[in-house]
Amino acid sequence: MHLRGVSWEDYERVLAMRGDESAPRIAYLDGVLEIMRPSVHHESVKSNIGCLVEIWMEERGLDYRKLGSWTLENAAAKKAAEPDECYAFDVTSDAPARPDLVIEVVWTHGETNKLAVYAAVGVPEVWYWEKGAIRVHVLRDGEYVESPHSEALEGIDLPLLASFLDRANTSAAKREYRAALRR
């Protein structure tokens, strides 16, 4: 659902009414409030990507903080969105200013340009999963450019990771992906 002509203050009221619940997901950009209810398929893919990313990081001994669907806002720019998953790699801070990596699953297309929101917040890297493939966008001079590989998780083989997302269940995907990484 898209509501046009919504003020930033109205956006904040909608967030307050929703409270700490993770659904519906809410985004705000240029006076348009987007309200989405994620499907079970969407949530399954985003959770499985997160599980496999975490396995990759753990296999390499990398520290991370999982931040889930943290509401990312730039009040001065009047932009806000809630990613499907996000991570911070500076684990020395109790409250990171922003995530280092955002993951978005595209099941249906909304109107909100989330890359514009994430650029306003300063997220260095955004991944978009769509139709079985993961595309990487890195922030350069305030704009995202598509990249053939991740800079946030240097060396991760995203086509390999994506190939495990079609397993019958999460535990099988995790076991098989971990085994593939250890070969």
Side-chain angles (χ1 to χ4, degrees), residues 79-176:
K79 293 176 171 54
E82 299 168 343
D84 290 323
E85 293 286 356
C86 64
Y87 296 89
F89 304 126
D90 175 8
V91 295
T92 60
S93 170
D94 285 340
R98 57 156 174 74
D100 297 298
L101 172 65
V102 159
I103 300 171
E104 286 288 343
V105 170
V106 178
W107 203 262
T108 60
H109 287 277
E111 290 181 26
T112 303
N113 177 358
K114 288 191 174 182
L115 287 178
V117 175
Y118 299 141
V121 174
V123 176
E125 186 165 309
V126 178
W127 296 356
Y128 272 93
W129 175 93
E130 186 173 17
K131 297 178 183 172
I134 298 171
R135 293 185 336 266
V136 176
H137 301 269
V138 294
L139 192 60
R140 296 275 188 268
D141 299 321
E143 300 280 330
Y144 285 102
V145 295
E146 200 160 337
S147 173
H149 63 298
S150 174
E151 293 179 6
L153 297 178
E154 194 172 320
I156 191 168
D157 183 336
L158 291 173
L160 176 67
L161 183 146
S163 74
F164 288 89
L165 296 173
D166 65 355
R167 299 307 188 266
N169 59 63
T170 303
S171 52
K174 289 170 67 174
R175 278 192 303 272
E176 292 173 28

